[in-house]
Amino acid sequence: MSDTPIIDMHHHLGKEPDYADRLAAACERLGIIRVCLVAIEPGCYLGSFGGNDAVERAFKRHPDLMLGFGHVRLGIDGPQKVSELKDRGFTGLKFIVPARPYDDESFFPIYERAEELGMPGLFHLGIVARQEEGHHVRVRCHYMRPVHLDAIARTFPRFTIIGAHLGNPWYEEAAMTARWNPNVFFDLSGSTLKKKTPQFLGELLWWDSTTRYGSPDGSHAWEKIVFGSDVEYYEIKDVLHDYEVVMKANHLRPDLRSAVRYRTAARILGLQVG
């Protein structure tokens, strides 16, 4: 499907005992050389995905393919949780359903520790699906608006931030937060690629090094986008296809397509960039 290697920055571990093995086989077929397994701890609203312990077992079983993003529960855990996850071998951190807006300063010690340890953070943004269970958790989607990432990025410029779903439905906030902050990136996972047109995304991601209004670091807008699947292993191919359709429709140069598939994520993860 692709002439360049692929990194999947956003994948959840299913509950099946052999899910990691099935995922590994799918990645081999699709040319995915790294996949970030994003944990969500049991009891934290979304209970259908693997938590930190399950993700740790998976990336230790497949160390050349899988990287772990450990779940830190904002409003419950402190910065020591970040250190613990680092010591366990996790590469990055996952944040979702915070007790207060993401940029609440009570969370800043967590982000500061992540910056110190070089652990990127993947933030769920925007709307989350309703669940049959988990109503004891107070879900306030406006706490997860992409504009909240702006204050975090400016305060902790060496903390790499990946926002999920391009902020759905607050897309313009997400795009401008990416434009103004060199340490902020987004994936296009979720319903966005199904319900929004390539033209819509092209109009959001409009700047490059030649535009009158650009990014402080001179980056192209599409260099701020990474591939993330956020689906079951057997649906990854479909999401890859959607990304390809969008990139082709927006006439992205080969180097920008490579950035979306691989190069930007490789830099975030500290991997060798060809």
Side-chain angles (χ1 to χ4, degrees):
M1 178 175 292
S2 170
D3 56 357
T4 59
I6 300 165
I7 294 175
D8 186 344
M9 288 293 295
H10 187 165
H11 194 93
H12 293 284
L13 186 68
K15 289 291 191 180
E16 300 92 332
D18 62 345
Y19 188 93
D21 296 336
R22 295 187 185 190
L23 173 60
C27 288
E28 183 175 4
R29 291 193 299 270
L30 296 170
I32 296 172
I33 63 167
R34 293 287 191 280
V35 56
C36 297
L37 294 181
V38 181
I40 297 181
E41 286 285 72
C44 186
Y45 172 64
L46 295 169
S48 59
F49 302 121
N52 291 336
D53 291 345
V55 166
E56 182 180 3
R57 288 192 295 271
F59 71 70
K60 288 183 175 177
R61 179 174 175 82
H62 297 277
D64 295 330
L65 171 66
M66 299 178 185
L67 302 169
F69 274 53
H71 183 196
V72 177
R73 301 165 299 173
L74 295 175
I76 299 175
D77 297 324
Q80 69 278 2
K81 186 67 176 183
V82 179
S83 299
E84 174 203 319
L85 291 168
K86 180 70 171 181
D87 291 342
R88 290 169 62 178
F90 283 84
T91 298
L93 307 170
K94 166 68 172 181
F95 304 106
I96 191 170
V97 290
R100 292 173 289 281
Y102 278 141
D103 61 354
D104 190 285
E105 292 193 12
S106 66
F107 302 146
F108 277 22
I110 290 172
Y111 307 143
E112 182 178 24
R113 184 68 55 83
E115 182 182 55
E116 291 172 353
L117 296 178
M119 301 183 76
L122 175 63
F123 290 75
H124 173 87
L125 295 178
I127 299 300
V128 293
R130 292 181 66 95
Q131 301 292 313
E132 293 299 323
E133 300 177 356
H135 302 292
H136 62 286
V137 178
R138 297 292 181 263
V139 177
R140 294 177 173 85
C141 293
H142 65 283
Y143 284 1
M144 298 178 282
R145 290 184 69 151
V147 72
H148 295 309
L149 302 184
D150 182 73
I152 302 168
R154 293 173 189 255
T155 305
F156 304 102
R158 293 182 293 107
F159 177 34
T160 301
I161 295 168
I162 307 105
H165 319 305
L166 197 61
N168 181 10
W170 294 290
Y171 297 108
E172 290 186 344
E173 287 185 10
M176 289 301 97
T177 300
R179 176 181 158 224
W180 280 111
N181 294 289
N183 53 328
V184 174
F185 305 86
F186 289 91
D187 71 40
L188 303 179
S189 63
S191 60
T192 296
L193 289 173
K194 298 297 185 185
K195 72 174 186 173
K196 295 297 184 181
T197 66
Q199 180 184 9
F200 172 82
L201 294 169
E203 290 175 351
L204 283 172
L205 301 167
W206 52 264
W207 68 92
D208 61 32
S209 60
T210 69
T211 52
R212 168 65 179 84
Y213 297 100
S215 181
D217 61 354
S219 62
H220 193 289
W222 284 92
E223 292 180 290
K224 309 308 292 291
I225 301 299
V226 297
F227 173 71
S229 62
D230 193 29
V231 291
E232 297 279 346
Y233 68 90
Y234 51 82
E235 295 180 297
I236 299 175
K237 183 177 180 179
D238 181 62
V239 181
L240 279 168
H241 174 264
D242 289 341
Y243 265 81
E244 295 298 323
V245 167
V246 168
M247 292 192 290
K248 182 177 180 180
N250 281 289
H251 308 290
L252 295 195
R253 305 187 311 257
D255 64 307
L256 292 175
R257 295 188 189 198
S258 176
V260 172
R261 299 183 191 114
Y262 171 73
R263 287 192 296 108
T264 297
R267 291 194 180 98
I268 290 172
L269 297 171
L271 304 176
Q272 182 175 355
V273 179

